[in-house]
Amino acid sequence: MITKKDFGKTEKGESVALYTIENSSGTAVDVITYGATLNAVRTADRNGEFADIIMGFDTIEGHEKYSNYQGMTVGRYANRIANGEFAVDGEKYELVKNEKGITCLHGGGELSHAVWSAIITDDSSIEMSYESPDGAMGFPGKVDFKVSFTLYEDNSLKIDYFAVSDKKTVINMTNHSYFNLAGKGDILGHKLKINADAFTPTDENSIPTGELRPVEGTPFDFRQFKTIGDEIYADDVQLTQCRGYDHNFCLNEGDGPVASAYDPESGRLLEVYTDLPGVQLYCGNFLDGTRPGKGGEPLIRHCGFCLETQFYPNTPNVPSFPQCTYGAGEKYESTTVFKFGVYNE
Ligand code: BGC
């Protein structure tokens, strides 16, 4: 079942709508047209108690004023491009350097801060679309983007991404939800598992060095469930330089979830499936409690964890990484599923 509500107006006066998709067990997701944002997910714990497990904002003002991409669709190029530059067939492109004047982060924020058009495609799906002009944030090509959200009876939320450009260009889209399976507090006590034998270590600007480093024997080994807080402050420059986990994991091939997390207390479980080669684990390291979130509650450090399915950061400048350059008319298509449930230890 889908319902639609008004979510207010942006500062520029554009109307924003909120759609709720609910299944028969009462699991519900809210998506808003500002940033094609996953604004809330209400899911049951092991006693059937529902909580909203998405940290973010309950007003459009909150999203516009305080956002660190909470719940948003991110593109054209999720994550970072070093020095805000890359080349396609020898032609160099200069991008907006929206992070410390050095890197291009999250495509300059374009897709996340745009108001998307939305249509209800059936009683469990919403499709959002947005057209980005040629040259937006410095990227080549006019691109038609689509993101659809479908909630199934088994409590899976499927996010389908689609893009097609009229010029050869790079595309890397993700969803930037901050999950907190307790619905409150911080996520340091959550257990996490990531099906990755290697990760991409970064320099001081969070740009991968190009190395694929084995996780074995490092705080990045999440191949078995591990408490997120156990090693987040370990004396490892990879963690100290970005205040905790903020890294891309190189996903192993195979079926099954690429990542799973649960809150031991409530039992709420999240499983992530994707066809993309990487996932960024970010634990809200830079949040500091100064920004008000839902209900005015401060967004504290580590109040949520993000599992941003993606091509590796800075791929356009690293030929050894799996590539994400698409020719004119060539379709970018990708699917990520967030499946909600309960973990029985
Ligand atoms: C980045 C973080 C950043 C956050 C919010 C994540 O994808 O890796 O470094 O602080 O997004 O922009």
Side-chain angles (χ1 to χ4, degrees):
M1 185 182 72
I2 298 190
T3 50
K4 182 183 174 188
K5 276 204 312 218
D6 184 15
F7 195 69
K9 281 195 165 52
T10 64
E11 257 181 33
K12 282 194 243 150
E14 302 149 293
S15 298
V16 177
L18 178 147
Y19 292 85
T20 300
I21 319 176
E22 188 171 340
N23 69 15
S24 63
S25 51
T27 301
V29 305
D30 290 348
V31 290
I32 59 169
T33 51
Y34 184 74
T37 295
L38 180 58
N39 210 50
V41 172
R42 291 176 289 280
T43 174
D45 69 3
R46 63 164 74 87
N47 301 317
E49 292 287 323
F50 282 79
D52 177 6
I53 60 165
I54 300 287
M55 299 294 106
F57 308 99
D58 42 22
T59 62
I60 183 62
E61 292 79 22
H63 282 286
E64 285 202 285
K65 251 185 162 159
Y66 300 119
S67 164
N68 303 102
Y69 298 90
Q70 276 84 355
M72 290 169 161
T73 293
V74 177
R76 299 181 180 193
Y77 194 91
N79 215 296
R80 296 176 173 84
I81 296 184
N83 304 314
E85 56 187 37
F86 72 102
V88 175
D89 295 337
E91 192 162 334
K92 204 168 143 187
Y93 293 94
E94 292 281 340
L95 308 172
V96 166
K97 296 181 188 179
N98 61 324
E99 190 183 36
K100 301 180 204 150
I102 304 174
T103 48
C104 179
L105 174 65
H106 296 328
E110 186 200 0
L111 270 52
S112 304
H113 300 284
V115 177
W116 295 54
S117 310
I119 49 167
I120 297 175
T121 43
D122 63 41
D123 64 0
S124 58
S125 300
I126 311 278
E127 182 183 273
M128 303 219 183
S129 48
Y130 169 72
E131 185 187 290
S132 171
D134 186 14
M137 301 291 168
F139 289 94
K142 170 177 93 62
V143 184
D144 290 315
F145 290 98
K146 282 194 198 322
V147 179
S148 68
F149 298 87
T150 307
L151 180 67
Y152 292 96
E153 283 297 312
D154 71 351
N155 297 332
S156 301
L157 173 65
K158 179 160 77 83
I159 308 182
D160 292 302
Y161 299 93
F162 172 89
V164 64
S165 172
D166 64 357
K167 280 188 188 153
K168 197 167 181 181
T169 197
V170 294
I171 308 278
N172 186 21
M173 301 174 74
T174 196
N175 177 273
H176 205 296
S177 289
Y178 291 65
F179 294 100
N180 180 325
L181 301 169
K184 56 179 192 291
D186 67 48
I187 50 77
L188 295 178
H190 282 40
K191 302 266 188 188
L192 174 66
K193 185 159 95 172
I194 304 179
N195 185 17
D197 292 338
F199 74 106
T200 50
T202 53
D203 68 12
E204 66 283 4
N205 293 320
S206 291
I207 299 293
T209 58
E211 179 191 349
L212 307 186
R213 185 176 294 173
V215 296
E216 178 93 52
T218 76
F220 294 83
D221 193 346
F222 281 99
R223 291 173 297 174
Q224 304 298 328
F225 274 116
K226 181 165 78 183
T227 304
I228 295 179
D230 272 3
E231 294 182 292
I232 196 169
Y233 298 131
D235 186 18
D236 176 329
V237 68
Q238 282 304 314
L239 294 167
T240 51
Q241 71 186 357
C242 49
R243 312 189 78 206
Y245 297 106
D246 190 3
H247 290 80
N248 171 68
F249 286 74
C250 309
L251 296 171
N252 297 336
E253 298 278 330
D255 298 331
V258 296
S260 312
Y262 69 93
D263 164 35
E265 233 157 84
S266 66
R268 284 195 200 86
L269 168 74
L270 164 70
E271 290 173 315
V272 182
Y273 298 78
T274 190
D275 49 15
L276 290 167
V279 68
Q280 183 89 3
L281 169 64
Y282 171 58
C283 294
N285 313 342
F286 301 111
L287 301 176
D288 60 5
T290 55
R291 297 177 180 211
K294 292 178 182 173
E297 282 289 309
L299 291 164
I300 58 169
R301 187 171 179 196
H302 307 313
C303 67
F305 64 90
C306 306
L307 287 166
E308 304 154 49
T309 56
Q310 61 183 3
F311 283 93
Y312 302 173
N314 198 33
T315 286
N317 295 308
V318 189
S320 58
F321 286 173
Q323 293 298 296
C324 54
T325 302
Y326 295 81
E330 191 184 347
K331 290 176 187 154
Y332 165 97
E333 279 174 301
S334 170
T335 298
T336 289
V337 172
F338 295 129
K339 185 170 184 195
F340 309 105
V342 165
Y343 187 81
N344 294 308
E345 277 179 302

